[in-house]
Amino acid sequence: MAYRLSEAGASVTVIEHGGTDMGPFIQMPGALSFPMNMKRYDWGFSSQPEHHMQGRTMAVPRGKVIGGSSSINGMVYVRGHARDFDTWEKMGATGWSFADVLPYYKRMENWHSGGHGGDPAWRGNGGPLHVSRATRENPLVDTFVRAGVEAGYPETLDYNGAQQEGFGPMEATIWKGRRWSAANAYLRPALKRANCTLVNALAQRVVMEDGRAVGVEVSRKGKTEVIRAGKEVLLAASSINSPKLLMLSGIGPADHLTAHGIKPIADRPGVGANLQDHLEVYVQMASSKPITLYRYWNLLGKAYVGARWLLTGTGPGASNQFESCAFIRSAPGIDYPDIQMHFLPIAVRYDGRAASEGHGFQAHVGPMRSKSRGTVRLSSSDPSDAPDIRFNYMSHPDDWTEFRAAIRHTREVFGAKVFDDYVRHEIQPGADMQSDAQIDAFVAEHAESAYHPCGTCRMGAADDPDAVVDPEGRVIGVEGLRVCDSSIFPQITNGNLNAPSIMVGEKLSDHILGRRPLPRDDSAPWMHSDWQAEQR
C-alpha cells in the first residue's frame, strides 16, 4: 500500500516497530530457519496451551522487521484456489471473487517460469513482486513429482495458473538468489519518493475522536506521541496485532474491552474472533543415498553455502529448498484440493534441527480448510503485553479425518516405485504407526503451525454483526479506519498466505484511492472432471 498510494501522489507514513532487514539471515533464502527464531526479527508470540494437542504451547512467529512477516517467512508463493475467493464473496465479501482478484495477482507479479512450463496468460510479468522457480537440481525434487503421477495424481506445470490440483514445481518470492520480500519489492521503491516516510516506533492504539480515526499513538525513544493522519489510518499489523490494536483503541467485543478498563467505541464481537491457521506434520523418510542437503548440515558445509551465496548469489543458499509441491483432494466428493504438500530434500524441523538419522527427506503435509476457529484477545490493556492467542486447533472432528488422509496419501506417494532407489525406511510417523488412534496421537504430539494465521478482522457485509470490515476494508462502526492484511480473510486460502496478503494490499489500495477496480478476469480454472466420485 505504501508503494501504490505514494505512486498515486498520496502522502504515506509507515510505522514499523522492527528494524532493518538487511542482514544475511533474512536476505539469504537458504537461511530461512534463522530469522523466525531470532528475537531481533520476531515478535516472539506463542499460543495458550492447546487442549486438543496435549496441552502444547505453539510458537506464533510474526515479523518484527521491515517487510513484516514476508521478511521471515518461507518465501513460498501460492495464490490460493479460485474457489477460495468465490467462497469469500458468498460469505459477504462482495467484489472479492476469483474473477475480481485475478487481475490484482497479475498486476503485482513479475513471473519467471525458469523453463518449467505454465501458461503466461494466467500470470503477470511487470509487477514489483518477483516470483521464480529454483533450478531443481536435486534428483529427489523431480522424483517427488513423478511419484505423485505414478500414484495416479495429475501433474500441474503451474499451480498458480489454471490448474492448482496436482504435483509440480513450487514457486517462491526469490529473485537473483535473494529474498524478494514486501520490503524489497514495494517499500524500498516507495521510500525513494518524497511523499513516503518510515517511522520506527511501537504503535500503541488508534486515536479516535468523535467516532473517527485521526491518528496513531506510538511509543518512540521512550516517549509517547501521536502521529496524526491526514486522511485515514490503515492497519496492516498482522492477524495477531491488528485485532489487538483495534481492541486497545476501543473497537471489539464490548464486554471484553470493559473487563480491561477500555471504553468501547464500537462493539464489534468479530474483532479477534474467527482465527484460522494451517497445521502440518512432517512425514520423513531416511535416504538410502547421500544426496540430500544433509551433506551441508555441518560447520564446514554451512560455511561453504554461506560463502558461495555471499560471493555469487548462487548455490543452496539461493533457494528456500521448497522446490516441488502438491495440492490434492483428501477424498471423493471434495471439489477442490484440501491438502497441501511441501517437499524438502532434507529431514529437518523449522527450528533447524536435523533428523538424527542423517540423510533423509520429507513432505510437510496438512489440511487446508480446518473448521476449527480460535481467538485473539487482550491479555491486558498494556500495549507492550503480548495478546492472548488461542487457536483451538483440532477441535472439529473433520480435522482428524483430514489429517489421517493426508498422512496416508503422503505415505503412498513415498511408496511409489520411483522412490525405491532412495527410501531406506520411514523415520516418522514410523512404519508401525498405522491405526487411526496411532496417527491421531502422532498428530497431537508432532503437528506444527505452518504459520498462516488469518481471519481475525473478518471482511463481510456492512450489516453483518460478526464482520469487522466491509468489502473495502473499512472498519464497520467508525470512520477513517481500515484493516488491510490477512486478518480480513473470511476463510483461510489454499496454501501459504504471503501472496493473498499482498494481493489484499494491492486491491485495497485502489479502494482507498477511490479508483474503479481493475476489470474482472473470467478465466475458468481447471476442475477435476469427476471429483464427485474420484479422489484423484
Side-chain angles (χ1 to χ4, degrees), residues 211-224:
R212 181 174 184 85
V214 297
V216 180
E217 179 187 282
V218 303
S219 174
R220 178 160 49 161
K221 297 179 180 178
K223 296 181 179 179
T224 298

Side-chain angles (χ1 to χ4, degrees), residues 309-320:
W309 180 82
L310 284 168
L311 293 172
T312 69
T314 64
S319 171
N320 61 358

Side-chain angles (χ1 to χ4, degrees), residues 167-454:
F167 283 66
M170 192 156 238
E171 299 190 335
T173 49
I174 297 172
W175 179 236
K176 294 184 177 179
R178 182 181 178 191
R179 177 191 290 271
W180 206 249
S181 63
N184 285 332
Y186 289 96
L187 186 57
R188 284 199 169 80
L191 290 173
K192 292 178 181 178
R193 303 173 182 138
N195 57 339
C196 186
T197 306
L198 180 66
V199 172
N200 183 248
L202 172 66
Q204 298 190 137
R205 67 184 181 96
V206 179
V207 179
M208 306 294 298
E209 293 179 359
D210 299 323
R212 181 174 184 85
V214 297
V216 180
E217 179 187 282
V218 303
S219 174
R220 178 160 49 161
K221 297 179 180 178
K223 296 181 179 179
T224 298
E225 57 185 278
V226 173
I227 298 175
R228 302 284 293 192
K231 187 176 181 182
E232 288 185 290
V233 175
L234 313 173
L235 288 184
S238 85
S239 57
I240 305 301
N241 276 328
S242 287
K244 175 188 171 184
L245 281 168
L246 287 179
M247 288 184 281
L248 289 171
S249 310
I251 302 165
D255 54 349
H256 177 65
L257 302 183
T258 303
H260 286 287
I262 299 170
K263 182 181 178 181
I265 293 173
D267 182 9
R268 302 306 305 178
V271 174
N274 195 46
L275 175 62
Q276 301 162 63
D277 192 16
H278 291 142
L279 275 180
E280 61 186 12
V281 294
Y282 306 161
V283 176
Q284 297 180 327
M285 314 301 288
S287 176
S288 56
K289 293 184 178 181
I291 59 172
T292 76
L293 294 175
Y294 186 72
R295 74 183 86 167
Y296 304 115
W297 221 255
N298 54 69
L299 192 59
L300 202 61
K302 291 179 180 179
Y304 163 76
V305 170
R308 181 176 174 184
W309 180 82
L310 284 168
L311 293 172
T312 69
T314 64
S319 171
N320 61 358
Q321 304 305 331
F322 293 116
E323 299 181 5
S324 284
C325 67
F327 292 89
I328 66 171
R329 292 174 296 111
S330 61
I334 295 170
D335 61 344
Y336 70 103
D338 61 340
I339 290 174
Q340 181 184 13
M341 301 178 190
H342 301 62
F343 179 75
L344 192 62
I346 186 172
V348 67
R349 291 184 1 185
Y350 258 134
D351 62 9
R353 297 182 193 173
S356 59
E357 300 198 26
H359 281 282
F361 48 91
Q362 67 190 35
H364 301 201
V365 60
M368 288 293 96
R369 293 189 294 281
S370 167
K371 297 181 178 68
S372 298
R373 297 291 183 270
T375 57
V376 173
R377 293 285 182 255
L378 297 176
S379 58
S380 81
S381 59
D382 185 342
S384 64
D385 286 346
D388 181 291
I389 305 168
R390 301 171 190 265
F391 285 98
N392 205 22
Y393 288 127
M394 305 302 292
S395 57
H396 195 284
D398 288 356
D399 296 345
W400 298 98
T401 302
E402 291 164 0
F403 247 118
R404 293 174 206 139
I407 291 171
R408 286 170 173 147
H409 292 323
T410 306
R411 281 172 156 171
E412 187 179 3
V413 171
F414 282 143
K417 289 183 179 180
V418 292
F419 266 122
D420 283 353
D421 289 341
Y422 302 111
V423 172
R424 188 153 49 93
H425 63 262
E426 184 176 303
I427 298 173
Q428 72 169 39
D432 57 333
M433 305 285 280
Q434 296 292 335
S435 70
D436 287 358
Q438 288 173 322
I439 292 175
D440 290 352
F442 171 77
V443 169
E445 183 178 356
H446 293 284
E448 300 284 351
S449 171
Y451 310 135
H452 300 161
C454 65

Side-chain angles (χ1 to χ4, degrees), residues 35-80:
M36 70 174 64
N37 291 293
M38 297 173 68
K39 291 182 179 179
R40 176 179 178 181
Y41 300 127
D42 174 32
W43 283 88
F45 296 145
S46 59
S47 76
Q48 295 298 317
E50 290 289 334
H51 297 305
H52 302 277
M53 303 284 289
Q54 300 183 350
R56 295 164 57 205
T57 297
M58 312 290 272
V60 189
R62 293 290 87 192
K64 186 182 66 176
V65 60
I66 300 301
S69 293
S70 75
S71 290
I72 69 167
N73 70 353
M75 292 156 282
V76 172
Y77 184 85
V78 184
R79 286 174 167 180

Side-chain angles (χ1 to χ4, degrees), residues 96 459 469-475 481-484 488 508 511:
W96 288 82
M459 176 168 49
V469 303
D470 70 10
E472 294 193 10
R474 297 172 294 206
V475 177
L481 179 61
R482 302 192 202 223
V483 181
C484 311
I488 75 169
L508 286 180
H511 292 300

Side-chain angles (χ1 to χ4, degrees), residues 4 104 107-108 128 186 502-510:
R4 294 300 181 190
Y104 287 96
R107 184 173 84 174
M108 72 195 226
Y186 289 96
I502 293 173
M503 180 276 292
V504 161
E506 284 273 8
K507 189 172 188 299
L508 286 180
S509 294
D510 278 359

